[in-house]
């Protein structure tokens, strides 16, 4: 698709440029000459430096198609997205934000396994540079990937998130779930009540208040 978009303007450019040099009664028509010149230009471009640019654009198309749920073959695209994440994280000059954007977009569309994998690569390369909010998102992605159960890695990352950002509402909410799992109901209510002070989305506030009331009823049973 990329080369089709590039072919058309190049073909037009060659056609009008060569029009003054190729006679109308020439054995080889101007259209054919323009086609050959355009094809050769694209071939040289691809061979010299265009391949990497093409791959970048192609990978971006795969990612966009996948997160917008327009894949004709979701499983194949999922494998390609996993490859894109790994290749991106292995780039020598990659910046944390490049991996984070991919991880966040995958998390937003509930592709939790791939989101967790992207956050894992981000954490592997830049763990000391990540703030508590990003660490909380990583812990959330792992928690959802594990079908809402905790493990040692989730608890480790969540603990780091709370150390760096003790007032992060996502981290507080997740820690509250952990305490609820351990039947520490009073601590769960305390953590979630604290989280309310740092939420600014009315829907999130309403949902968390409902959870708090539910847990309070559970406590009184």
């Amino acid at each position: 698709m990329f080369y089709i978009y590039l072919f058309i303007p190049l073909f037009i450019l060659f056609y009008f440029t060569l029009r003054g040099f190729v006679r109308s009664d020439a054995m080889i028509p101007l259209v054919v000459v323009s086609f050959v010149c355009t094809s050769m230009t694209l071939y040289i471009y691809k061979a010299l430096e265009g391949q990497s640019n093409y791959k970048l654009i192609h990978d971006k198309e795969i990612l966009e198609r996948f997160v917008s749920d327009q894949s004709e073959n979701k499983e194949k695209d999922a494998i390609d997205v996993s490859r894109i994440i790994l290749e991106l994280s292995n780039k020598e000059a990659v910046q944390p934000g490049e991996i984070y954007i991919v991880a966040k977009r995958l998390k937003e569309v509930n592709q939790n396994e791939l989101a967790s994998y992207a956050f894992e690569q981000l954490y592997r390369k830049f763990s000391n540079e990540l703030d508590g909010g990003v660490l909380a998102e990583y812990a959330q992605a792992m928690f959802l990937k594990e079908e809402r159960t905790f493990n040692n890695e989730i608890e480790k990352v969540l603990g780091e998130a709370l150390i760096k950002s003790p007032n992060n509402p996502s981290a507080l909410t997740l820690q509250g779930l952990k305490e609820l799992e351990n039947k520490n109901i009073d601590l769960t209510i305390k953590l979630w009540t604290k989280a309310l002070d740092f939420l600014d989305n009315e829907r999130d506030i309403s949902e968390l208040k409902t959870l708090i009331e539910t847990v309070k009823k559970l406590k009184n049973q």
Side-chain angles (χ1 to χ4, degrees):
M1 186 64 69
F2 169 71
Y3 283 114
I4 293 175
Y5 292 141
L6 194 57
F7 182 92
I8 295 172
L10 278 174
F11 178 83
I12 294 172
L13 177 64
F14 275 116
Y15 182 87
F16 285 102
T17 301
L18 295 173
R19 192 166 56 174
F21 299 94
V22 179
R23 302 197 326 264
S24 60
D25 60 345
M27 293 181 61
I28 303 177
L30 177 59
V31 171
V32 175
V33 175
S34 301
F35 181 86
V36 171
C37 290
T38 302
S39 299
M40 289 180 63
T41 300
L42 290 176
Y43 178 81
I44 294 170
Y45 170 77
K46 181 178 179 180
L48 293 178
E49 62 178 355
Q51 184 62 35
S52 60
N53 292 334
Y54 168 75
K55 186 177 183 304
L56 183 65
I57 293 171
H58 181 63
D59 286 350
K60 184 178 180 182
E61 287 179 350
I62 292 172
L63 185 60
E64 291 294 333
R65 184 170 67 226
F66 186 78
V67 298
S68 62
D69 199 25
Q70 295 179 349
S71 298
E72 294 182 3
N73 189 333
K74 196 80 173 180
E75 290 184 4
K76 181 180 181 302
D77 278 354
I79 293 171
D80 281 333
V81 170
S82 181
R83 170 189 57 78
I84 291 167
I85 293 168
L86 183 60
E87 290 179 354
L88 180 61
S89 64
N90 286 335
K91 277 174 54 180
E92 189 172 335
V94 68
Q95 296 298 311
E98 295 178 74
I99 306 174
Y100 173 71
I101 289 171
V102 175
K104 188 171 181 63
R105 292 200 65 188
L106 290 167
K107 182 173 178 287
E108 287 172 346
V109 294
N110 298 316
Q111 290 294 333
N112 299 310
E113 186 167 344
L114 285 168
S116 180
Y117 179 58
F119 276 115
E120 178 186 347
Q121 297 303 314
L122 178 63
Y123 182 77
R124 178 178 63 83
K125 289 184 71 76
F126 303 104
S127 58
N128 293 331
E129 301 176 35
L130 303 181
D131 63 29
V134 175
L135 291 171
E137 288 185 85
Y138 178 26
Q140 282 181 323
M142 284 194 287
F143 178 69
L144 294 171
K145 172 196 165 188
E146 298 298 327
E147 297 182 353
R148 299 179 181 273
T149 59
F150 287 90
N151 58 35
N152 292 337
E153 185 62 24
I154 297 172
E155 292 177 23
K156 173 177 175 290
V157 174
L158 179 57
E160 293 176 9
L162 286 167
I163 289 171
K164 289 189 173 183
S165 299
N167 296 327
N168 181 275
S170 297
L172 290 167
T173 302
L174 194 56
Q175 183 63 34
L177 284 172
K178 175 60 184 172
E179 299 302 335
L180 183 61
E181 184 181 88
N182 293 335
K183 303 189 185 307
N184 297 324
I185 297 178
D186 287 335
L187 184 52
T188 294
I189 295 171
K190 180 180 177 180
L191 288 164
W192 287 355
T193 302
K194 181 180 178 181
L196 286 174
D197 294 333
F198 302 99
L199 287 171
D200 52 16
N201 183 291
E202 289 300 324
R203 180 179 174 181
D204 292 340
I205 292 171
S206 177
E207 289 178 352
L208 190 54
K209 283 181 176 179
T210 301
L211 282 174
I212 291 171
E213 291 304 314
T214 301
V215 172
K216 284 180 177 178
K217 290 177 183 178
L218 181 65
K219 176 186 175 182
N220 295 328
Q221 285 180 356

